[in-house]
Amino acid sequence: MEDLKNNYLKVLQSDDFKKEFEQLLRDYVGRPSPLYLANRLSEKYGCKIYLKREDLNHTGAHKINNTVGQILLAKRMGKKRIIAETGAGQHGVATATVCALMDLECIVYMGKTDVERQHINVEKMKMLGATVVPVTSGNMTLKDATNEAIRDWCCHPADTFYIIGSTVGPHPYPDMVARLQSIISEEIKKQLLEKEGRNYPDYLIACVGGGSNAAGTIYHFIDDERIKIVLAEAGGKGVDTGLTAATIQLGKTGIIHGARTYVIQSEDGQIEEPYSISAGLDYPGIGPIHANLAAQRRATVIAINDDEAIEAAYELTRIEGIIPALESAHALGALKKMSFKPEDVVVLTVSGRGDKDIETYLDNAPAQ
């Protein structure tokens, strides 16, 4: 950790890193991702809704922005072996992708529950040359995969680099991942200036599990009080049911995976198992950046239940022809819980595409 802490900013701020990172984001990832004015969605909610299309990136989500940056850092630090944790599998696929690109060994830890519900992403990782390790401790989801990855790193510190997929974990990860994802808000500023003649929206909306797509969406806007930040977390079956991942609503200050943040925990401080229909959001903690935004009342946090997310996903699919990832569907579910003025400009980040979630969507399709 000390080695990483002492090196990450020097590398990220160096000219040769910036040049290679920007070139890969442009020519390999396919950035900038479009900022799309969703006309029919806008009409329905009575405002102007722009979708930041991270689903159109290579590998189908925002995760690739971060893995490209971290693999370049790993190479500059002389590491030969890459490990990662994954929930929905998007970060695992993105890590396996950059390891194939850079010819580095890749081991991905994934909860057995998630291996079963995201088997297409598992096969993609294997096709890319990664070893996928199913984790059978706990409730066999993201928290448990992260535990195993940290154990591996402790045993192989010399040659191994741990690519964490979200704004979680010990310093410098929350800061580093937010910086690498900040390309999202950098582009939003430029694109809004072109489309609206101003470089800021009235609302920014994103889903939060660990919180990397949200951190990237808000990074360059945090200090601009004109902008309302809305974070959609996973309500599961309902905040009061015990089957939920609504960390900001229910969490108390604690420590998880080396970060002090809000954690869903019992009276005596034991971490409670979270639940969400979305494999990418069922984490019992939250990125400390988002815990702070909630504590300072800078962000409004809304819990979106499973059925609300599914309904919102079907709505976007039917009226805009875009099938969003289940995670992003939680951000879309927040629209119904808000009231907008006709002149409001809203930017909502579609953090990933829904290919990986088709079976879940079909099994839970809302009644017509």
Side-chain angles (χ1 to χ4, degrees), residues 1-2 4-5 8-9 168-176 257-259:
M1 287 310 310
E2 283 298 307
L4 184 60
K5 190 174 82 178
Y8 86 106
L9 274 183
V168 298
H171 179 68
Y173 282 104
D175 180 59
M176 177 167 66
H257 299 135

Side-chain angles (χ1 to χ4, degrees), residues 273-306:
E273 298 292 355
Y275 161 80
S276 168
I277 196 169
S278 157
L281 298 182
D282 61 352
Y283 185 64
I286 185 80
I289 182 175
H290 303 302
N292 184 54
L293 289 169
Q296 304 292 333
R297 307 242 188 280
R298 176 67 186 96
T300 301
V301 183
I302 303 173
I304 305 298
N305 294 349
D306 292 352

Side-chain angles (χ1 to χ4, degrees), residues 71 84 89 117 132 171 191 196 200 215 241 257 268 282 330 352 367:
I71 202 91
R117 62 180 170 176
V132 180
H171 179 68
Q191 291 166 322
E196 291 291 326
Y200 68 95
T241 63
H257 299 135
D268 54 3
D282 61 352
H330 286 72

Side-chain angles (χ1 to χ4, degrees), residues 36 38-45 312-322:
Y36 165 66
N39 284 306
R40 293 184 64 199
L41 199 67
S42 299
E43 198 179 310
K44 169 149 193 179
Y45 290 102
Y314 270 84
E315 178 180 88
L316 185 71
T317 304
R318 297 277 163 80
I319 71 176
E320 292 290 349
I322 298 167

